[in-house]
Structures are given as structure tokens and as C-alpha cells.
Amino acid sequence: MSQIIMMVDDDPQVRALVSKLLTNKGYDVRCSDSGLDAVALAREIQPDLILLDLEMPGKNGFEVLADLQTDEQAMNIPVIMFSARSQVDDKVAGLDLGSVDYVVKPVHPDELLARIRAALKR
């Protein structure tokens, strides 16, 4: 059975590109375009990993991460923050909130895959 990666990103192009990359590597990819329903979806599908964008309407990635960390059914799912924001303050905030990694877009596909593999081994 393949590992499930849930991607939360409001950009349809990013979702399509990353989904194709991960699917081609054998992962089962589930996507959400909204931070508002991310926790409910995580509870429902129990993914092995969540790739979480920071900049989204309604609820940003930091808010989603904080919600995930306090949800009994989702709190143990590793989260990689996946954002175009590259400021040190954003990276530190994401890691302090409980993400296992922070990846800046655009990222080389091989680097993204390596970071996903590393997070899944934890």
C-alpha cells in the first residue's frame, strides 16, 4: 500500500505539478485548496505526511498547523511547510509551531522528494 501525502495549496498549478511528481514516485496524493477544510480532511484520510502552503485565503498555513497540533486525530501527522516565503522568521515560526521541515518554492523536484523521504522516516 502506498503512502498517502496530503497537499494543501491554493495554487492549482502547484498542486498539479507536485501531485504528478509524487504520483509518479508511487505516492497516493490527496489535495485540498483551502486551509479551512485541511484539518477535517487530515482527520478523514489520515495521511502519512502533509505538505502545507503558508499563503492561503481563509486560513493560512500557520493557523492550519496550529489547529493540526491541537487535534487528537491529526497531531501526530508530520507536516512540511511548503511556501514561497523564504524569510528566516517564517521558517522559524513554522518549525516552532511543529512542522518537521520548511521547504521554499520553487524547489528542485529531487530536493523535495528527499525531504519527503526524510520526513516519512521519522
Side-chain angles (χ1 to χ4, degrees):
M1 188 165 151
S2 61
Q3 292 175 301
I4 299 170
I5 297 179
M6 181 176 127
M7 186 166 70
V8 185
D9 198 308
D10 63 324
D11 185 326
Q13 286 185 306
V14 171
R15 286 195 315 272
L17 287 169
V18 174
S19 291
K20 183 176 180 180
L21 170 71
L22 297 176
T23 301
N24 287 343
K25 293 296 179 180
Y27 295 105
D28 180 358
V29 181
R30 313 287 176 88
C31 294
S32 172
D33 63 359
S34 166
L36 294 173
D37 65 357
V39 176
L41 183 60
R43 266 194 241 113
E44 178 186 329
I45 66 175
Q46 288 294 301
D48 297 289
L49 176 75
I50 298 172
L51 280 178
L52 180 60
D53 186 21
L54 184 54
E55 294 286 331
M56 292 181 292
K59 192 175 268 199
N60 71 38
F62 291 141
E63 294 167 321
V64 173
L65 183 57
D67 290 348
L68 288 166
Q69 295 299 315
T70 59
D71 186 280
E72 286 189 22
Q73 292 180 293
M75 65 188 345
N76 294 317
I77 301 168
V79 175
I80 295 177
M81 299 300 294
F82 189 52
S83 176
R85 289 175 51 174
S86 61
Q87 294 83 1
V88 171
D89 290 349
D90 291 325
K91 294 176 185 179
V92 169
L95 294 167
D96 282 348
L97 279 171
S99 68
V100 298
D101 201 351
Y102 190 109
V103 177
V104 177
K105 301 181 222 175
V107 62
H108 190 281
D110 290 340
E111 179 183 351
L112 179 60
L113 290 167
R115 288 175 178 267
I116 288 170
R117 286 191 304 269
L120 289 169
K121 286 180 185 175
R122 295 181 184 179

